Each structure stands twice: as C-alpha cells, then as structure tokens.
Amino acid sequence: MKKHLERLLNERVNFLAGNIEKGKENERDIRKLETFMETGKSIVKVKAAGQVISERRDLEETVLDYTVHLQYLVKHGELFYLEEELEKRQARFISEELHEDIEIHPFYEINDGGMLNTETGETGFFNLERVEDERVAYTYDRLKAVRYAERWWNDYNPAYKKFEVDCTNFVSQCLHAGGAPMWGSPNRSKGWWMARNTWSYSWAVANALRIYLSNSRTGLRAREVKTAGELNLGDVICYDFQGDGRFDHNTIVTAKDANGMPLVNAHTYNSRMRNWAYKDSTAYTPNIKYKFYTILDGD
C-alpha cells in the first residue's frame, strides 16, 4: 500500500513539474499551476517526501494518515525562491486496493454565530471591549516577526500551546515575536493574549483576530488597506473562503514576489512563501473574500 502511495506521489510530482501532460492530478494541483501561470511564474523543480503518521485496519479496510512535504523551486523574472507546503492526507484501501485518497484540511467551525474551537469544543462570542486609555508604546520589528515565521512555519514552539487548527495561533506568535504586546488577561473576550493554558479568542480564533485588528485602539493595532500590494513584511491577511462574513484563516506576509505581491507563511496547512491569494487551496471558493491589515507601531 505504501508503494502505491509512492507511485501516486511520483506521478503528482511529474505533473507539477510539467514532465507529463496527464497524471494523477487533482483540482488543487491544477489550480496551483494556473496560479503560477497567472502570476508569470514557473516551477523549475519539484520535490516531495511522504511520511505515514498512522495506520488503522478493520477487516478488509485499511486507513493510512500521512503527510506530504512539497517543495517548489520557483522562478519569477530574475527572482528565485523556494515555496513549501505540508499536506495532511488520508488514504483508504479496501482489500489492498486504493479506494480513496483525500486531503485533510480542518478549520475553525462556526456554531450559531459563535466560534467553535475544534480542539477544545468551546464556543464563544467575541465582542471587543474598547479601551482608549491603556496605550502601550512599542515598535513593531517586522524582521523579527518574519524570522519567527520562517523558523516555525513547519514546526511548533513548545513555549506555546499547539492547536489542531493552528493558523491564528501561529500568526499571533509571529506578531508577538515582532514586539506586539499582549494585554487583556484574564478576560478571554478582551484584548489579545495567551497565558499558559488559556488565551483570548483573538489570539487563536481566525474571525476573532480579524475583528480585533479592525477595532483595537491599544496594544497590537493595525490599519486595514484595500489591496494586497499595499502590505509590507510582517503584515496580516485574513481569508473568508465561503464569503459569508466569517473569516476562516490567517497568514503572515514573509516576502514579496517580483511584482511586489505578498508571499505568505501559515499553519494548519503548513505553508512557506505561498502565493497570498490561496487559489490553490482545497478550501478556496469563487466567493472568497480577503481583508488586508498593516501592523502599526504603538505610540
């Protein structure tokens, strides 16, 4: 069965590298190539490595959970850079014949207008309490934020709690590494903070961080801009994949391509130097909406 997965992965690599016209391509891989073409980029080389995480057997059925680490050497004009992704996948075999091979991509779920943490099962509404007289002076160090994002894009800092759905927790860590101060503890609906085994909704829930960045007047602050091209390194992009007003995902800008457009790092679907628009994501829909936030210094 593992040999079968190796063959599938080799066919995907050949398709992505343009070595064959048809293979075991999926919709995500097709959109990946379309995104590169639309932005004037080309893939010079593709590498992939798979690792089985768990194996479960039940009569004639076997389920393998595995990861695929994809690396793309990308050429854009005179610029070369390495884009990386870690896919989480599940393969289901019946009588040792492959029946299904799917990507697993969890997000925070929405429950009755509240936010459900898929790890803890908690729900809660986030209503930012405005605080106008607790200004904290700080300088946001974008280089430190980017260095942190590069160090931990495919790993987890043991100093922080790890979530199954970790995108917002990761972005918050990057912002804090850049000097943004925590505040509001122990009120989970106030401020932006993490302390041991508790945290504000804004620290770890995608839609709550988006609300916080739109409204905060103290501690970590941001200004919304209209386009991705206005963002700088260390800034934040929020994603509403369904276009229903509830944001599902966050990323941090870690580089710019040859056209000055953002490349981003993220967790949950661990990614490095990924095209900001996420058109190649399995969560992407034509209704997707974005919000762009540039981080401000404290004063």
Side-chain angles (χ1 to χ4, degrees):
M1 287 180 284
K2 294 179 182 178
K3 292 291 185 182
H4 194 130
L5 293 181
E6 288 178 3
R7 288 196 298 272
L8 288 179
L9 188 55
N10 285 333
E11 290 178 353
R12 281 190 66 192
V13 167
N14 285 327
F15 174 73
L16 288 164
N19 295 330
I20 55 175
E21 292 185 1
K22 294 290 184 180
K24 297 298 181 182
E25 69 272 16
N26 54 46
E27 183 179 350
R28 182 189 174 280
D29 290 343
I30 293 171
R31 288 206 305 267
K32 186 82 174 178
L33 294 180
E34 289 175 347
T35 297
F36 280 128
M37 291 178 62
E38 289 171 2
T39 54
K41 301 170 185 176
S42 60
I43 299 176
V44 178
K45 187 175 182 180
V46 181
K47 291 178 62 177
Q51 181 179 3
V52 174
I53 304 301
S54 67
E55 180 176 334
R56 301 184 298 280
R57 293 181 180 272
D58 182 16
L59 299 177
E60 295 183 347
E61 182 178 79
T62 301
V63 177
L64 298 181
D65 292 328
Y66 69 105
T67 61
V68 177
H69 184 178
L70 289 156
Q71 295 179 304
Y72 309 89
L73 180 59
V74 181
K75 184 177 187 297
H76 190 197
E78 300 299 318
L79 176 69
F80 288 85
Y81 66 90
L82 186 67
E83 178 178 334
E84 300 184 72
E85 300 172 319
L86 189 73
E87 283 186 0
K88 298 175 183 178
R89 304 190 66 86
Q90 185 176 91
R92 191 177 301 273
F93 292 84
I94 298 178
S95 298
E96 298 193 0
E97 292 294 325
L98 183 64
H99 179 69
E100 184 180 51
D101 180 37
I102 60 173
E103 181 183 353
I104 302 170
H105 196 157
F107 284 100
Y108 279 102
E109 300 173 11
I110 304 300
N111 182 30
D112 297 331
M115 289 156 289
L116 172 64
N117 183 317
T118 56
E119 176 167 340
T120 66
E122 293 179 292
T123 59
F125 290 88
F126 180 78
N127 296 304
L128 181 71
E129 298 183 12
R130 289 186 179 275
V131 180
E132 301 293 347
D133 58 353
E134 296 184 9
R135 290 294 181 91
V136 179
Y138 70 94
T139 300
Y140 182 53
D141 191 325
R142 296 175 180 278
L143 182 57
K144 286 184 178 179
V146 169
R147 284 175 175 169
Y148 188 96
E150 286 286 272
R151 166 62 182 86
W152 296 104
W153 79 268
N154 195 28
D155 202 354
Y156 300 87
N157 187 340
Y160 294 93
K161 182 176 177 61
K162 175 186 174 182
F163 297 90
E164 180 183 355
V165 181
D166 201 60
C167 62
T168 305
N169 179 39
F170 171 69
V171 168
S172 289
Q173 290 176 36
C174 296
L175 296 173
H176 186 55
M182 298 185 194
W183 71 278
S185 176
N187 187 339
R188 301 192 71 186
S189 294
K190 179 180 179 180
W192 173 78
W193 56 272
M194 173 174 275
R196 297 189 179 182
N197 290 321
T198 187
W199 52 90
S200 66
Y201 294 120
S202 59
W203 181 278
V205 180
N207 196 51
L209 179 61
R210 190 272 305 174
I211 294 171
Y212 178 90
L213 293 176
S214 294
N215 294 279
S216 178
R217 299 295 179 267
T218 190
L220 169 64
R221 296 187 300 125
R223 182 181 71 254
E224 185 175 353
V225 296
K226 292 183 178 180
T227 65
E230 297 174 71
L231 297 175
N232 295 310
L233 304 191
D235 285 338
V236 174
I237 303 177
C238 304
Y239 301 77
D240 172 8
F241 288 115
Q242 298 298 322
D244 59 6
R246 293 168 177 169
F247 284 72
D248 315 285
H249 187 54
N250 296 307
T251 67
I252 184 167
V253 178
T254 53
K256 293 286 194 80
D257 66 17
N259 293 331
M261 298 303 291
L263 302 172
V264 299
N265 287 23
H267 266 196
T268 302
Y269 187 111
N270 295 357
S271 304
R272 175 180 180 269
M273 299 290 186
R274 187 172 184 174
N275 182 275
W276 70 271
Y278 262 63
K279 290 183 178 180
D280 59 330
S281 170
T282 53
Y284 175 86
T285 75
N287 298 322
I288 192 169
K289 295 179 181 177
Y290 309 92
K291 281 191 176 292
F292 310 107
Y293 294 97
T294 186
I295 306 303
L296 303 176
D297 291 337
D299 54 21

